[in-house]
Amino acid sequence: MTVQTITTQPFSDQKPGTSGLRKKVKVFEKPNYLENFVQCIFDTQRDREDAPLVLGGDGRYYNRQAIQIILRIAAANGCARVVLGQGGILSTPAASHLIRQHQARGGIILSASHNPGGPDEDFGIKFNTPNGGPAPEKVTEAIYRASLHINRYHTLDTPDIDLDCLGTASVGDMWVEIVDPVSAYADLMEQLFDFGQIRALFQSGFRMRFDAMHAVTGPYAREILEKRLGAPAGTVINGVPLEDFGHGHPDPNLVYAKELADYLFGADAPDFGAASDGDGDRNMVLGRHFFVTPSDSLAVILANAASAPGYRGRISGVARSMPTSQAADRVAAKLGLNCYETPTGWKFFGNLLDADKITLCGEESFGTGSDHVREKDGLWAVLFWLNILAARRQSVAEIVREHWRTYGRNYYTRHDYEAVDSDAANGLVDALRAKTVDLPGQKLGSYAVAYADDFRYLDPIDDSVSDKQGIRIGFQDGSRIVYRLSGTGTEGATLRVYVEAYEADQARHDLDTQQALAELIQIANDLAGIRERTGRNEPTVIT
Ligand code: VG1
Ligand code: CO
């Protein structure tokens, strides 16, 4: 085996602060592009070099080619062993679990999450650290710095291996262990939830539909829901992963998972509906004629954690990303638990989970999870809901309404303006930041500003500081407006506006969300000058 060293050029495409590279496939197909990034990982991540590397992706277009390239570079860099999902497939939470189970040196996960896939769509790669989580900023910074100076990468001149055959293969001197992508993950779920109770629920005639959106969770959902839990065949729809997700947008929300939403709001609606995204880390949960916001979902799971054997009596605390509604805070307060507020992005939960400061965490962007892995986990959230439904034997709507009666309701919406001009978006945020200085004490419509700032996070475990994590404006009655720019879009900039209001009065718990928040939405639009600065009259997506 001779290692080939290929001369290459530095590149600076990874935005500092983002956990990996997410670009059009065409960009990844450029000579040496993927190779450079992978070499930068091996040049900088030298911990536990004797331990295996976990590798897999969401199966989107270019997944298989990328896996072969990465295997050769790994072998040429002296990597001794790779644990690879069969067919190159691993959902993001399953990859996180394998990293932990194998005490790996880390993992390389190939996905652009909820972004569309195909030759003209998106691809992505990220490195997860030995705790199973997305790389923290000091690691992504090191990879980014290496990318500015890289001038060569190492590879081998070996043929492609068969990715579909379970067992052991070799690339040069490196062993590749090809494992079933589903079984270890399904076993883990069986330890956390009361499968017997959920099986009994299905036996009682309970009906659900899970929409895998032709993305990675199809095989996971079939194995867990239909095989292990006995849900009727056909419970999982769009269950065959496709390289282009069947031309869909594998983002589980009311806009992109419309087929599912229409069914759950239709005449023949089942008891429960759920969907997951491209790489399986997001979830949307619906009841019959009822949508559960991700922020409420976290709060309900926290309040009902004792339903699940894996969580009974062992919740240490909870965390939510800053723009996520404060519904979970209210539950935490009642339970006497700490509730941490972190910047957007799962990596910020890692330290808190590792230190057992928190057991559960979530984001408004359809992400919920716990200390069982170090990624958010779509199917896990669905199973948690099933466990709660099986224990309580009430409908989703009854459970959430009862929750609001106990804790009050946090009305919540997010307005996304996608693919806006980057300069316009940056200008908008800069202008808002300047405004925050004068806002406290002012009255905007009927709302009095209590505080306004650009969120700065001090990590309580390692004291690292993350600045400029979003403009937030808090009002005296607990309502909030938050603005931030997306770090995951691949076209121009995406402006996200998050609006939240608290309603204690039970008589006002059944309002339409957009109407309940209408005045705050107007304030948010006017304050930022969204129309003038972006030329947009309305958001691209409202969730
Ligand atoms: C979005 C979400 C954020 C999430 C991130 C990754 O980021 O808002 O909450 O952690 O996607 O999700 P942004 O920067 O575009 O707002 V996924 O499913 O790509 O792992
Ligand atoms: Co995802």
Side-chain angles (χ1 to χ4, degrees), residues 25 29 58-67 87-89 111-113 115-123 163-164 213-216 240-250 278:
V25 167
E29 286 172 334
D58 64 10
R60 67 179 60 226
Y61 184 85
Y62 201 57
N63 195 58
R64 285 174 170 266
Q65 292 94 312
I67 298 262
I89 296 284
S111 169
S113 190
N115 296 12
D120 296 312
E121 300 294 351
D122 293 348
F123 190 74
L163 303 179
D164 298 307
M213 303 186 86
H214 287 302
V216 78
V240 178
L242 299 174
E243 287 199 331
D244 64 353
F245 308 119
H247 296 296
H249 197 135

mmCIF file of all heavy atoms in Angstrom, residues 25 29 58-67 87-89 111-113 115-123 163-164 213-216 240-250 278:
data_model
loop_
_atom_site.group_PDB
_atom_site.id
_atom_site.type_symbol
_atom_site.label_atom_id
_atom_site.label_comp_id
_atom_site.label_asym_id
_atom_site.label_seq_id
_atom_site.Cartn_x
_atom_site.Cartn_y
_atom_site.Cartn_z
ATOM 1 N N VAL A 25 -24.055 20.249 -4.012
ATOM 2 C CA VAL A 25 -23.305 19.065 -4.448
ATOM 3 C C VAL A 25 -22.224 19.456 -5.454
ATOM 4 O O VAL A 25 -21.088 18.991 -5.391
ATOM 5 C CB VAL A 25 -24.270 18.019 -5.063
ATOM 6 C CG1 VAL A 25 -23.498 16.939 -5.810
ATOM 7 C CG2 VAL A 25 -25.142 17.405 -3.976
ATOM 8 N N GLU A 29 -18.284 18.464 -5.535
ATOM 9 C CA GLU A 29 -17.701 17.661 -6.618
ATOM 10 C C GLU A 29 -16.458 18.310 -7.224
ATOM 11 O O GLU A 29 -15.776 17.685 -8.029
ATOM 12 C CB GLU A 29 -18.762 17.421 -7.718
ATOM 13 C CG GLU A 29 -19.799 16.391 -7.281
ATOM 14 C CD GLU A 29 -20.963 16.259 -8.255
ATOM 15 O OE1 GLU A 29 -21.262 17.231 -8.973
ATOM 16 O OE2 GLU A 29 -21.581 15.179 -8.278
ATOM 17 N N ASP A 58 -26.890 10.435 5.524
ATOM 18 C CA ASP A 58 -28.344 10.307 5.377
ATOM 19 C C ASP A 58 -28.764 9.737 4.031
ATOM 20 O O ASP A 58 -29.952 9.700 3.722
ATOM 21 C CB ASP A 58 -29.049 11.641 5.669
ATOM 22 C CG ASP A 58 -28.681 12.734 4.671
ATOM 23 O OD1 ASP A 58 -28.045 12.430 3.645
ATOM 24 O OD2 ASP A 58 -29.036 13.897 4.921
ATOM 25 N N GLY A 59 -27.805 9.303 3.223
ATOM 26 C CA GLY A 59 -28.137 8.602 1.983
ATOM 27 C C GLY A 59 -28.443 9.505 0.811
ATOM 28 O O GLY A 59 -28.812 9.024 -0.259
ATOM 29 N N ARG A 60 -28.270 10.812 0.996
ATOM 30 C CA ARG A 60 -28.580 11.718 -0.109
ATOM 31 C C ARG A 60 -27.555 11.571 -1.237
ATOM 32 O O ARG A 60 -26.496 10.956 -1.060
ATOM 33 C CB ARG A 60 -28.657 13.163 0.368
ATOM 34 C CG ARG A 60 -27.320 13.731 0.832
ATOM 35 C CD ARG A 60 -27.457 15.182 1.280
ATOM 36 N NE ARG A 60 -28.387 15.342 2.371
ATOM 37 C CZ ARG A 60 -29.321 16.301 2.392
ATOM 38 N NH1 ARG A 60 -29.418 17.157 1.401
ATOM 39 N NH2 ARG A 60 -30.122 16.394 3.428
ATOM 40 N N TYR A 61 -27.876 12.161 -2.370
ATOM 41 C CA TYR A 61 -27.009 12.122 -3.544
ATOM 42 C C TYR A 61 -25.584 12.537 -3.161
ATOM 43 O O TYR A 61 -25.400 13.538 -2.472
ATOM 44 C CB TYR A 61 -27.565 13.079 -4.610
ATOM 45 C CG TYR A 61 -26.790 13.048 -5.896
ATOM 46 C CD1 TYR A 61 -27.064 12.098 -6.875
ATOM 47 C CD2 TYR A 61 -25.773 13.969 -6.119
ATOM 48 C CE1 TYR A 61 -26.340 12.061 -8.057
ATOM 49 C CE2 TYR A 61 -25.044 13.941 -7.299
ATOM 50 C CZ TYR A 61 -25.330 12.980 -8.261
ATOM 51 O OH TYR A 61 -24.614 12.951 -9.417
ATOM 52 N N TYR A 62 -24.596 11.764 -3.608
ATOM 53 C CA TYR A 62 -23.160 11.956 -3.350
ATOM 54 C C TYR A 62 -22.687 11.290 -2.066
ATOM 55 O O TYR A 62 -21.506 11.263 -1.765
ATOM 56 C CB TYR A 62 -22.768 13.449 -3.320
ATOM 57 C CG TYR A 62 -21.295 13.677 -3.568
ATOM 58 C CD1 TYR A 62 -20.687 13.201 -4.725
ATOM 59 C CD2 TYR A 62 -20.490 14.333 -2.623
ATOM 60 C CE1 TYR A 62 -19.324 13.391 -4.945
ATOM 61 C CE2 TYR A 62 -19.130 14.533 -2.838
ATOM 62 C CZ TYR A 62 -18.556 14.061 -4.006
ATOM 63 O OH TYR A 62 -17.212 14.239 -4.219
ATOM 64 N N ASN A 63 -23.642 10.708 -1.280
ATOM 65 C CA ASN A 63 -23.249 10.041 -0.033
ATOM 66 C C ASN A 63 -22.251 8.915 -0.312
ATOM 67 O O ASN A 63 -21.198 8.819 0.322
ATOM 68 C CB ASN A 63 -24.503 9.469 0.632
ATOM 69 C CG ASN A 63 -24.300 9.076 2.084
ATOM 70 O OD1 ASN A 63 -23.920 9.906 2.903
ATOM 71 N ND2 ASN A 63 -24.529 7.813 2.408
ATOM 72 N N ARG A 64 -22.575 8.056 -1.270
ATOM 73 C CA ARG A 64 -21.739 6.883 -1.525
ATOM 74 C C ARG A 64 -20.357 7.279 -2.053
ATOM 75 O O ARG A 64 -19.343 6.723 -1.597
ATOM 76 C CB ARG A 64 -22.426 5.957 -2.535
ATOM 77 C CG ARG A 64 -23.584 5.190 -1.910
ATOM 78 C CD ARG A 64 -24.341 4.388 -2.951
ATOM 79 N NE ARG A 64 -25.264 3.501 -2.252
ATOM 80 C CZ ARG A 64 -24.982 2.236 -1.930
ATOM 81 N NH1 ARG A 64 -23.854 1.674 -2.289
ATOM 82 N NH2 ARG A 64 -25.857 1.521 -1.258
ATOM 83 N N GLN A 65 -20.310 8.210 -2.987
ATOM 84 C CA GLN A 65 -19.007 8.641 -3.506
ATOM 85 C C GLN A 65 -18.157 9.224 -2.371
ATOM 86 O O GLN A 65 -16.967 8.937 -2.254
ATOM 87 C CB GLN A 65 -19.167 9.721 -4.597
ATOM 88 C CG GLN A 65 -19.807 9.239 -5.884
ATOM 89 C CD GLN A 65 -21.321 9.482 -5.865
ATOM 90 O OE1 GLN A 65 -21.999 9.156 -4.884
ATOM 91 N NE2 GLN A 65 -21.844 10.033 -6.952
ATOM 92 N N ALA A 66 -18.802 10.064 -1.551
ATOM 93 C CA ALA A 66 -18.068 10.718 -0.463
ATOM 94 C C ALA A 66 -17.505 9.684 0.510
ATOM 95 O O ALA A 66 -16.373 9.809 0.982
ATOM 96 C CB ALA A 66 -18.975 11.705 0.262
ATOM 97 N N ILE A 67 -18.302 8.643 0.808
ATOM 98 C CA ILE A 67 -17.841 7.612 1.749
ATOM 99 C C ILE A 67 -16.547 6.965 1.224
ATOM 100 O O ILE A 67 -15.580 6.779 1.974
ATOM 101 C CB ILE A 67 -18.925 6.515 1.928
ATOM 102 C CG1 ILE A 67 -20.187 7.131 2.515
ATOM 103 C CG2 ILE A 67 -18.390 5.328 2.731
ATOM 104 C CD1 ILE A 67 -20.405 7.006 3.970
ATOM 105 N N GLY A 87 -24.431 0.392 3.531
ATOM 106 C CA GLY A 87 -24.920 1.262 2.466
ATOM 107 C C GLY A 87 -24.494 2.713 2.655
ATOM 108 O O GLY A 87 -24.971 3.599 1.967
ATOM 109 N N GLY A 88 -23.620 2.927 3.635
ATOM 110 C CA GLY A 88 -23.193 4.301 3.928
ATOM 111 C C GLY A 88 -24.232 5.078 4.715
ATOM 112 O O GLY A 88 -24.166 6.292 4.851
ATOM 113 N N ILE A 89 -25.221 4.350 5.271
ATOM 114 C CA ILE A 89 -26.354 4.993 5.951
ATOM 115 C C ILE A 89 -26.167 5.009 7.469
ATOM 116 O O ILE A 89 -25.858 3.990 8.079
ATOM 117 C CB ILE A 89 -27.655 4.204 5.644
ATOM 118 C CG1 ILE A 89 -27.992 4.259 4.157
ATOM 119 C CG2 ILE A 89 -28.811 4.698 6.492
ATOM 120 C CD1 ILE A 89 -28.573 5.550 3.686
ATOM 121 N N SER A 111 -24.403 14.816 5.717
ATOM 122 C CA SER A 111 -25.800 15.216 5.637
ATOM 123 C C SER A 111 -25.898 16.721 5.442
ATOM 124 O O SER A 111 -25.028 17.469 5.877
ATOM 125 C CB SER A 111 -26.528 14.857 6.929
ATOM 126 O OG SER A 111 -27.794 15.472 6.931
ATOM 127 N N ALA A 112 -26.956 17.140 4.777
ATOM 128 C CA ALA A 112 -27.309 18.562 4.814
ATOM 129 C C ALA A 112 -28.665 18.666 5.502
ATOM 130 O O ALA A 112 -29.478 19.527 5.173
ATOM 131 C CB ALA A 112 -27.322 19.175 3.431
ATOM 132 N N SER A 113 -28.891 17.713 6.420
ATOM 133 C CA SER A 113 -30.075 17.725 7.273
ATOM 134 C C SER A 113 -31.379 17.852 6.489
ATOM 135 O O SER A 113 -31.679 17.011 5.670
ATOM 136 C CB SER A 113 -29.937 18.843 8.300
ATOM 137 O OG SER A 113 -30.939 18.720 9.257
ATOM 138 N N ASN A 115 -32.174 20.114 4.263
ATOM 139 C CA ASN A 115 -32.078 20.738 2.934
ATOM 140 C C ASN A 115 -32.317 19.679 1.855
ATOM 141 O O ASN A 115 -31.976 18.515 2.036
ATOM 142 C CB ASN A 115 -30.699 21.363 2.725
ATOM 143 C CG ASN A 115 -30.414 22.512 3.685
ATOM 144 O OD1 ASN A 115 -31.143 22.704 4.645
ATOM 145 N ND2 ASN A 115 -29.363 23.252 3.440
ATOM 146 N N PRO A 116 -32.891 20.070 0.711
ATOM 147 C CA PRO A 116 -33.142 19.108 -0.364
ATOM 148 C C PRO A 116 -31.857 18.442 -0.859
ATOM 149 O O PRO A 116 -30.766 18.993 -0.696
ATOM 150 C CB PRO A 116 -33.755 19.967 -1.476
ATOM 151 C CG PRO A 116 -34.260 21.188 -0.805
ATOM 152 C CD PRO A 116 -33.377 21.423 0.382
ATOM 153 N N GLY A 117 -31.993 17.253 -1.443
ATOM 154 C CA GLY A 117 -30.852 16.517 -1.970
ATOM 155 C C GLY A 117 -30.996 16.277 -3.462
ATOM 156 O O GLY A 117 -32.082 16.418 -4.017
ATOM 157 N N GLY A 118 -29.903 15.889 -4.106
ATOM 158 C CA GLY A 118 -29.909 15.647 -5.549
ATOM 159 C C GLY A 118 -28.718 16.334 -6.179
ATOM 160 O O GLY A 118 -28.036 17.125 -5.518
ATOM 161 N N PRO A 119 -28.453 16.050 -7.464
ATOM 162 C CA PRO A 119 -27.257 16.587 -8.126
ATOM 163 C C PRO A 119 -27.168 18.114 -8.068
ATOM 164 O O PRO A 119 -26.071 18.667 -8.053
ATOM 165 C CB PRO A 119 -27.410 16.126 -9.576
ATOM 166 C CG PRO A 119 -28.432 15.059 -9.570
ATOM 167 C CD PRO A 119 -29.245 15.165 -8.329
ATOM 168 N N ASP A 120 -28.307 18.801 -8.040
ATOM 169 C CA ASP A 120 -28.279 20.268 -8.002
ATOM 170 C C ASP A 120 -28.653 20.807 -6.630
ATOM 171 O O ASP A 120 -28.912 22.000 -6.470
ATOM 172 C CB ASP A 120 -29.246 20.839 -9.051
ATOM 173 C CG ASP A 120 -28.801 20.459 -10.449
ATOM 174 O OD1 ASP A 120 -27.602 20.631 -10.746
ATOM 175 O OD2 ASP A 120 -29.642 19.953 -11.217
ATOM 176 N N GLU A 121 -28.713 19.917 -5.646
ATOM 177 C CA GLU A 121 -29.119 20.374 -4.309
ATOM 178 C C GLU A 121 -27.942 20.313 -3.342
ATOM 179 O O GLU A 121 -26.813 20.462 -3.747
ATOM 180 C CB GLU A 121 -30.327 19.560 -3.834
ATOM 181 C CG GLU A 121 -31.547 19.689 -4.744
ATOM 182 C CD GLU A 121 -32.161 21.101 -4.782
ATOM 183 O OE1 GLU A 121 -31.763 21.953 -3.976
ATOM 184 O OE2 GLU A 121 -33.035 21.331 -5.621
ATOM 185 N N ASP A 122 -28.237 20.043 -2.067
ATOM 186 C CA ASP A 122 -27.213 20.251 -1.044
ATOM 187 C C ASP A 122 -26.577 18.963 -0.540
ATOM 188 O O ASP A 122 -27.184 17.895 -0.547
ATOM 189 C CB ASP A 122 -27.827 20.982 0.153
ATOM 190 C CG ASP A 122 -28.232 22.403 -0.191
ATOM 191 O OD1 ASP A 122 -27.827 22.874 -1.265
ATOM 192 O OD2 ASP A 122 -28.938 23.023 0.617
ATOM 193 N N PHE A 123 -25.347 19.123 -0.068
ATOM 194 C CA PHE A 123 -24.627 18.047 0.594
ATOM 195 C C PHE A 123 -23.931 18.666 1.805
ATOM 196 O O PHE A 123 -23.784 19.883 1.896
ATOM 197 C CB PHE A 123 -23.595 17.429 -0.371
ATOM 198 C CG PHE A 123 -22.979 16.165 0.152
ATOM 199 C CD1 PHE A 123 -23.712 14.982 0.177
ATOM 200 C CD2 PHE A 123 -21.682 16.152 0.661
ATOM 201 C CE1 PHE A 123 -23.160 13.815 0.687
ATOM 202 C CE2 PHE A 123 -21.130 14.989 1.164
ATOM 203 C CZ PHE A 123 -21.866 13.818 1.173
ATOM 204 N N LEU A 163 -20.164 -1.294 -0.140
ATOM 205 C CA LEU A 163 -20.711 -0.685 1.081
ATOM 206 C C LEU A 163 -21.907 -1.449 1.628
ATOM 207 O O LEU A 163 -22.349 -1.209 2.743
ATOM 208 C CB LEU A 163 -21.159 0.758 0.799
ATOM 209 C CG LEU A 163 -20.115 1.729 0.241
ATOM 210 C CD1 LEU A 163 -20.751 3.097 0.005
ATOM 211 C CD2 LEU A 163 -18.930 1.864 1.186
ATOM 212 N N ASP A 164 -22.448 -2.362 0.819
ATOM 213 C CA ASP A 164 -23.724 -2.979 1.181
ATOM 214 C C ASP A 164 -23.608 -4.311 1.900
ATOM 215 O O ASP A 164 -24.608 -4.860 2.350
ATOM 216 C CB ASP A 164 -24.571 -3.154 -0.081
ATOM 217 C CG ASP A 164 -24.879 -1.800 -0.704
ATOM 218 O OD1 ASP A 164 -25.390 -0.937 0.032
ATOM 219 O OD2 ASP A 164 -24.572 -1.601 -1.888
ATOM 220 N N MET A 213 -40.532 10.879 4.914
ATOM 221 C CA MET A 213 -40.179 11.860 3.883
ATOM 222 C C MET A 213 -39.087 11.363 2.928
ATOM 223 O O MET A 213 -38.276 12.137 2.457
ATOM 224 C CB MET A 213 -39.790 13.198 4.534
ATOM 225 C CG MET A 213 -40.893 13.762 5.440
ATOM 226 S SD MET A 213 -40.552 15.407 6.096
ATOM 227 C CE MET A 213 -41.175 16.445 4.763
ATOM 228 N N HIS A 214 -39.074 10.075 2.679
ATOM 229 C CA HIS A 214 -38.051 9.451 1.813
ATOM 230 C C HIS A 214 -36.637 9.759 2.278
ATOM 231 O O HIS A 214 -35.711 9.828 1.472
ATOM 232 C CB HIS A 214 -38.235 9.876 0.358
ATOM 233 C CG HIS A 214 -39.422 9.232 -0.282
ATOM 234 N ND1 HIS A 214 -39.557 7.866 -0.351
ATOM 235 C CD2 HIS A 214 -40.525 9.758 -0.846
ATOM 236 C CE1 HIS A 214 -40.711 7.587 -0.958
ATOM 237 N NE2 HIS A 214 -41.321 8.702 -1.255
ATOM 238 N N ALA A 215 -36.496 9.994 3.568
ATOM 239 C CA ALA A 215 -35.180 10.314 4.108
ATOM 240 C C ALA A 215 -34.713 9.161 4.991
ATOM 241 O O ALA A 215 -35.267 8.059 4.940
ATOM 242 C CB ALA A 215 -35.244 11.633 4.867
ATOM 243 N N VAL A 216 -33.724 9.427 5.834
ATOM 244 C CA VAL A 216 -33.004 8.319 6.468
ATOM 245 C C VAL A 216 -33.818 7.524 7.481
ATOM 246 O O VAL A 216 -33.537 6.360 7.745
ATOM 247 C CB VAL A 216 -31.688 8.843 7.097
ATOM 248 C CG1 VAL A 216 -31.960 9.539 8.424
ATOM 249 C CG2 VAL A 216 -30.652 7.739 7.260
ATOM 250 N N VAL A 240 -38.931 4.599 2.083
ATOM 251 C CA VAL A 240 -37.725 4.183 1.359
ATOM 252 C C VAL A 240 -36.832 5.403 1.141
ATOM 253 O O VAL A 240 -37.237 6.364 0.486
ATOM 254 C CB VAL A 240 -38.093 3.555 -0.005
ATOM 255 C CG1 VAL A 240 -36.842 3.160 -0.771
ATOM 256 C CG2 VAL A 240 -39.001 2.360 0.197
ATOM 257 N N PRO A 241 -35.617 5.386 1.718
ATOM 258 C CA PRO A 241 -34.741 6.537 1.534
ATOM 259 C C PRO A 241 -34.353 6.689 0.058
ATOM 260 O O PRO A 241 -33.994 5.717 -0.594
ATOM 261 C CB PRO A 241 -33.497 6.171 2.364
ATOM 262 C CG PRO A 241 -33.928 5.087 3.286
ATOM 263 C CD PRO A 241 -35.027 4.357 2.575
ATOM 264 N N LEU A 242 -34.475 7.880 -0.469
ATOM 265 C CA LEU A 242 -34.109 8.151 -1.854
ATOM 266 C C LEU A 242 -33.028 9.237 -1.891
ATOM 267 O O LEU A 242 -33.011 10.111 -1.019
ATOM 268 C CB LEU A 242 -35.325 8.619 -2.651
ATOM 269 C CG LEU A 242 -36.502 7.632 -2.759
ATOM 270 C CD1 LEU A 242 -37.680 8.292 -3.461
ATOM 271 C CD2 LEU A 242 -36.075 6.367 -3.496
ATOM 272 N N GLU A 243 -32.186 9.182 -2.931
ATOM 273 C CA GLU A 243 -31.065 10.131 -2.994
ATOM 274 C C GLU A 243 -31.531 11.582 -3.116
ATOM 275 O O GLU A 243 -30.824 12.498 -2.728
ATOM 276 C CB GLU A 243 -30.146 9.782 -4.166
ATOM 277 C CG GLU A 243 -29.318 8.534 -3.909
ATOM 278 C CD GLU A 243 -28.102 8.445 -4.814
ATOM 279 O OE1 GLU A 243 -28.174 8.972 -5.941
ATOM 280 O OE2 GLU A 243 -27.097 7.853 -4.385
ATOM 281 N N ASP A 244 -32.739 11.762 -3.679
ATOM 282 C CA ASP A 244 -33.239 13.142 -3.794
ATOM 283 C C ASP A 244 -34.501 13.336 -2.948
ATOM 284 O O ASP A 244 -35.252 14.295 -3.146
ATOM 285 C CB ASP A 244 -33.521 13.489 -5.255
ATOM 286 C CG ASP A 244 -34.636 12.618 -5.836
ATOM 287 O OD1 ASP A 244 -35.091 11.664 -5.140
ATOM 288 O OD2 ASP A 244 -35.061 12.880 -6.966
ATOM 289 N N PHE A 245 -34.721 12.412 -2.002
ATOM 290 C CA PHE A 245 -35.886 12.477 -1.114
ATOM 291 C C PHE A 245 -37.186 12.586 -1.919
ATOM 292 O O PHE A 245 -38.141 13.250 -1.487
ATOM 293 C CB PHE A 245 -35.755 13.655 -0.128
ATOM 294 C CG PHE A 245 -34.442 13.680 0.621
ATOM 295 C CD1 PHE A 245 -33.567 14.751 0.500
ATOM 296 C CD2 PHE A 245 -34.069 12.620 1.428
ATOM 297 C CE1 PHE A 245 -32.355 14.758 1.177
ATOM 298 C CE2 PHE A 245 -32.860 12.622 2.104
ATOM 299 C CZ PHE A 245 -31.995 13.698 1.976
ATOM 300 N N GLY A 246 -37.195 11.941 -3.102
ATOM 301 C CA GLY A 246 -38.392 12.001 -3.940
ATOM 302 C C GLY A 246 -38.731 13.430 -4.342
ATOM 303 O O GLY A 246 -39.904 13.798 -4.387
ATOM 304 N N HIS A 247 -37.702 14.224 -4.613
ATOM 305 C CA HIS A 247 -37.843 15.645 -4.975
ATOM 306 C C HIS A 247 -38.429 16.464 -3.836
ATOM 307 O O HIS A 247 -38.860 17.604 -4.052
ATOM 308 C CB HIS A 247 -38.721 15.847 -6.223
ATOM 309 C CG HIS A 247 -38.146 15.239 -7.460
ATOM 310 N ND1 HIS A 247 -36.960 15.666 -8.014
ATOM 311 C CD2 HIS A 247 -38.566 14.214 -8.239
ATOM 312 C CE1 HIS A 247 -36.695 14.943 -9.081
ATOM 313 N NE2 HIS A 247 -37.636 14.038 -9.227
ATOM 314 N N GLY A 248 -38.508 15.911 -2.670
ATOM 315 C CA GLY A 248 -39.124 16.640 -1.565
ATOM 316 C C GLY A 248 -38.118 17.488 -0.815
ATOM 317 O O GLY A 248 -36.931 17.533 -1.124
ATOM 318 N N HIS A 249 -38.640 18.166 0.174
ATOM 319 C CA HIS A 249 -37.841 19.019 1.047
ATOM 320 C C HIS A 249 -37.973 18.355 2.419
ATOM 321 O O HIS A 249 -38.996 18.533 3.078
ATOM 322 C CB HIS A 249 -38.470 20.416 1.018
ATOM 323 C CG HIS A 249 -37.595 21.493 1.524
ATOM 324 N ND1 HIS A 249 -37.453 22.689 0.871
ATOM 325 C CD2 HIS A 249 -36.815 21.577 2.617
ATOM 326 C CE1 HIS A 249 -36.618 23.459 1.553
ATOM 327 N NE2 HIS A 249 -36.231 22.804 2.623
ATOM 328 N N PRO A 250 -36.998 17.547 2.825
ATOM 329 C CA PRO A 250 -37.212 16.698 4.012
ATOM 330 C C PRO A 250 -37.126 17.467 5.323
ATOM 331 O O PRO A 250 -36.264 17.229 6.155
ATOM 332 C CB PRO A 250 -36.088 15.662 3.896
ATOM 333 C CG PRO A 250 -34.979 16.410 3.237
ATOM 334 C CD PRO A 250 -35.623 17.396 2.296
ATOM 335 N N GLY A 278 -34.257 14.937 6.914
ATOM 336 C CA GLY A 278 -33.301 14.216 6.080
ATOM 337 C C GLY A 278 -32.413 13.276 6.862
ATOM 338 O O GLY A 278 -32.270 12.101 6.510
#
